[in-house]
Amino acid sequence: MVLESLSFTNTLYAFDFDGTLAKIVRIPSEAYMASTTEGLLKELSSLVPVAIVSGRSIQDLKQRLGFLPQYLIGNHGLESLENNNSSLVEAKKVCAAWGEGLKKINFELGIEIEDKTYSIAIHYRRSRNKTLARKQINLAIESLVPSPRVIPGKSVFNLLPSNSPHKGAAILDLMQKSKTKHALYIGDDDTDEDVFGVPYDEGQLMTVRVGRKKSSQAKYFIEHQSDINRLLKYLIRFHKHPPQTKRSRGHR
Amino acid sequence: MNKMERHFISLFHIGIAIHHFNKHSERYLGLSLVQWCLLKHLIDMPAVSAHALAKAVGIHPSSLTQTLKRLERKKYIFIIGDPQDTRKKVISITRSGKDILDTTSEKMNNWSKGLSGLGNELVSIQSYLEIQVSKGQDWS
Ligand SMILES: [Mg+2]
């Protein structure tokens, strides 16, 4: 019932995409939200400010969504719907250079490079020998100039320019933009620890991780990605049809 | 009695009056001033530790304990264990808490009209008292 108390103040509801709104799939380009999830998210976003904060590029995200929530953040916090600043130009240049450096990876190991313009994801989900793939990737990353900020995820290494903003900074920025006093953030991966671990004023942010993990800094957990629908339903109910107490029905 | 002494007597009476006001408010509105103040803060801090709540309100955590217990008994808040640290507690306001706060705030607004003639006097008195207390041992 902690969730209900979020509906009493101005709360921003922010979600990671892969592994949170959409099921993790073997081929990342085939990840989509289940239609029920999408319907629920759309309904929630008609009631309250909703954000999707993903490692994917905005362009990629847009193709996967049947509607646009109020806020869309791509490339781990680097890209938003309206920004087009110098850090993006710089990131684009750096990623192009890295792309060259990564060509020497042995792609027979099932490693795939995803160029997201402002960041790079190196996937090895389809690799048969993941240990060897990780070793190869680490070697390649070490040789990159300038050194990237590396955020490991589920069978993926995300490379970002070292000074780029992360998801945690993006959430704080979104709270300001949306004039909300509080935020709920749900994510499933190591990249989301940037949000879970940000030293917010206590009581300003509620963090939820999909899947229990001891070392995670998230405060709450939901067990499975499929639980997201139940959570969305709760949020919609609390905002749309608040349960009536005796007092709010008007008789004491 | 000189002017200073009369001020101190007034302060004493204000203390008593606030105590009565609190009781009156709890009896007729369902919330004392302290309880109202805590709920008001909890609205924007949906799940918070007692420590952070005390800090936000500006009082010592130990002074919160009794008020929190009363609010919990009235079912205006609920307290659960912190999922990350079992020694800590997380406090949240309930729907009933939100409802009583709404009705009470309306009435409080009407009451506070009676204070509209005041300038910064309340703040001045509060600051004076807090400064004196913070001086601690310098008093003697
Ligand atoms: Mg994810």
Side-chain angles (χ1 to χ4, degrees):
Chain A
M1 292 305 93
V2 176
L3 280 180
E4 186 178 13
S5 61
L6 300 182
S7 66
F8 303 150
T9 185
N10 294 328
T11 298
L12 167 77
Y13 294 92
F15 303 84
D16 165 53
F17 187 77
D18 292 83
T20 302
L21 289 172
K23 218 164 99 180
I24 293 271
V25 287
R26 238 169 82 83
I27 304 168
S29 59
E30 289 176 2
Y32 286 94
M33 256 193 278
S35 59
T36 324
T37 312
E38 181 153 342
L40 290 167
L41 192 70
K42 191 173 172 186
E43 187 173 0
L44 183 68
S45 94
S46 71
L47 301 165
V48 287
V50 165
I52 298 179
V53 183
S54 170
R56 290 179 184 269
S57 70
I58 294 241
Q59 204 191 357
D60 180 343
L61 274 176
K62 277 182 176 170
Q63 291 166 6
R64 276 157 223 287
L65 301 172
F67 78 104
L68 273 187
Q70 291 92 321
Y71 303 100
L72 208 54
I73 297 291
N75 268 303
H76 309 279
L78 200 62
E79 251 190 308
S80 71
L81 277 175
E82 65 271 359
N83 82 345
N84 193 4
N85 52 29
S86 55
S87 65
L88 283 183
V89 178
E90 186 54 34
K92 194 173 174 178
K93 235 193 274 174
V94 170
C95 287
W98 288 343
E100 285 301 310
L102 292 172
K103 278 184 181 157
K104 57 182 160 205
I105 285 181
N106 181 357
F107 291 98
E108 284 165 20
L109 287 167
I111 297 170
E112 288 158 286
I113 308 257
E114 189 191 347
D115 183 354
K116 297 192 279 188
T117 315
Y118 309 111
S119 77
I120 288 179
I122 311 177
H123 301 273
Y124 59 96
R125 183 170 294 279
R126 287 207 271 180
S127 171
R128 288 207 187 136
N129 188 340
K130 291 205 163 60
T131 318
L132 191 61
R134 268 197 300 267
K135 247 184 213 165
Q136 269 275 337
I137 297 169
N138 274 320
L139 272 176
I141 291 175
E142 271 171 30
S143 68
L144 295 179
V145 183
S147 333
R149 189 159 78 88
V150 183
I151 313 174
K154 288 176 180 162
S155 302
V156 61
F157 286 92
N158 299 288
L159 312 187
L160 289 98
S162 58
N163 56 352
S164 62
H166 56 65
K167 282 185 173 183
I171 294 287
L172 210 57
D173 191 43
L174 284 181
M175 282 174 74
Q176 251 173 11
K177 273 189 196 138
S178 59
K179 296 192 172 66
T180 43
K181 291 182 175 164
H182 189 266
L184 170 80
Y185 181 76
I186 310 176
D188 71 308
D189 207 344
D190 287 353
T191 60
D192 302 305
E193 292 297 327
D194 279 337
V195 185
F196 301 155
V198 162
Y200 290 93
D201 281 350
E202 209 189 325
Q204 204 190 359
L205 175 77
M206 188 179 284
T207 51
V208 182
R209 190 179 191 280
V210 180
R212 220 170 264 274
K213 190 180 179 190
K214 249 198 173 150
S215 59
S216 173
Q217 297 192 72
K219 191 104 167 169
Y220 300 92
F221 296 91
I222 55 174
E223 294 292 343
H224 308 288
Q225 189 276 323
S226 51
D227 295 333
I228 196 76
N229 287 352
R230 202 152 52 100
L231 189 136
L232 288 169
K233 276 181 199 161
Y234 272 128
L235 295 178
I236 290 167
R237 199 179 83 203
F238 292 141
H239 282 283
K240 205 171 175 185
H241 312 288
Q244 299 249 302
T245 61
K246 273 185 192 165
R247 191 175 291 275
S248 59
R249 281 200 297 265
H251 40 80
R252 296 268 176 103
Chain B
M1 203 185 299
N2 64 32
K3 200 177 164 191
M4 276 323 289
E5 286 170 335
R6 279 205 304 274
H7 279 334
F8 276 111
I9 301 267
S10 285
L11 280 180
F12 163 73
H13 283 295
I14 289 175
I16 302 272
I18 290 177
H19 179 73
H20 287 313
F21 183 86
N22 254 323
K23 282 196 154 174
H24 180 81
S25 162
E26 182 163 13
R27 186 156 166 205
Y28 292 103
L29 300 185
L31 286 181
S32 69
L33 264 183
V34 193
Q35 293 165 1
W36 175 82
C37 185
L38 286 193
L39 290 187
K40 198 85 190 150
H41 277 85
L42 275 173
I43 277 284
D44 290 327
M45 303 173 99
V48 72
S49 70
H51 186 84
L53 178 62
K55 201 174 142 196
V57 179
I59 56 177
H60 194 270
S62 62
S63 341
L64 273 187
T65 319
Q66 284 311 315
T67 315
L68 288 178
K69 275 189 186 154
R70 275 181 94 87
L71 285 170
E72 193 183 20
R73 269 203 300 275
K74 292 179 179 181
K75 300 201 162 53
Y76 293 153
I77 61 168
F78 63 94
I79 304 175
I80 55 166
D82 186 319
Q84 274 177 332
D85 184 349
T86 45
R87 292 164 302 175
K88 286 191 195 161
K89 300 275 180 227
V90 176
I91 305 154
S92 285
I93 185 168
T94 62
R95 173 73 54 184
S96 311
K98 154 94 164 80
D99 288 340
I100 183 104
L101 189 63
D102 288 346
T103 43
T104 310
S105 293
E106 222 170 277
K107 286 175 186 156
M108 288 252 185
N109 274 338
N110 285 332
W111 281 7
S112 69
K113 282 176 192 149
L115 298 173
S116 62
L118 283 178
N120 291 325
E121 287 90 341
L122 281 177
V123 181
S124 303
I125 294 173
Q126 186 192 343
S127 313
Y128 169 78
L129 292 175
E130 281 176 4
I131 288 167
Q132 295 313 311
V133 173
S134 70
K135 280 182 184 166
Q137 292 187 340
D138 294 350
W139 265 36
S140 51

